[in-house]
Amino acid sequence: MSDTPPDSPDFDAMTRDIAEVPAVEVIVTVAVNLMSASAVKLGLSEEGEKYKDLDEARKLITALAGLLDASATEVSSFHAAPLRDGLKSLQLAFREASIVPDEPGQGPGEKYTGPVYG
């Protein structure tokens, strides 16, 4: 009989599983999660205004921009190009959603991407 309760996670198995995942896949998965969370915080989900929080969106977009900037040389352009396009779309959506838009170059993540224009 095992001392581990049946409902507890098997951390050894989880470690083995994550060890088999290529780094690029982990980076892309994290980036997609940041993109999805940013979209929700920008009010772009089905329930829109209910979850809209521009302060939170700014943080998530900046984290996404930093991740993409830091991993640019590690992730092939096959993966990076759509992520950069998504980031730019989120940055533009943030600018549209803001009552007082940031100056070009001052928006979320623009210290990593440079100014974003429509």
Side-chain angles (χ1 to χ4, degrees), residues 39-103:
V40 169
K41 296 297 184 176
L42 285 169
L44 302 176
S45 65
E46 286 184 22
E47 297 186 38
E49 294 295 317
K50 181 177 179 181
Y51 299 111
K52 188 174 182 178
D53 184 335
L54 295 183
D55 184 52
E56 291 289 301
R58 177 183 295 277
K59 293 171 187 170
L60 291 163
I61 294 168
T62 299
L64 174 61
L67 174 64
L68 295 181
D69 183 55
S71 63
T73 59
E74 307 301 326
V75 179
S76 69
S77 60
F78 174 79
H79 295 291
L83 293 173
R84 282 193 210 104
D85 290 344
L87 170 60
K88 182 177 179 180
S89 295
L90 291 167
Q91 289 171 311
L92 292 171
F94 183 92
R95 189 173 303 281
E96 269 186 39
S98 297
I99 295 170
V100 179
D102 296 315
E103 292 293 322

Side-chain angles (χ1 to χ4, degrees), residues 33-44:
N33 284 330
L34 287 168
M35 291 174 81
S36 298
S38 298
V40 169
K41 296 297 184 176
L42 285 169
L44 302 176

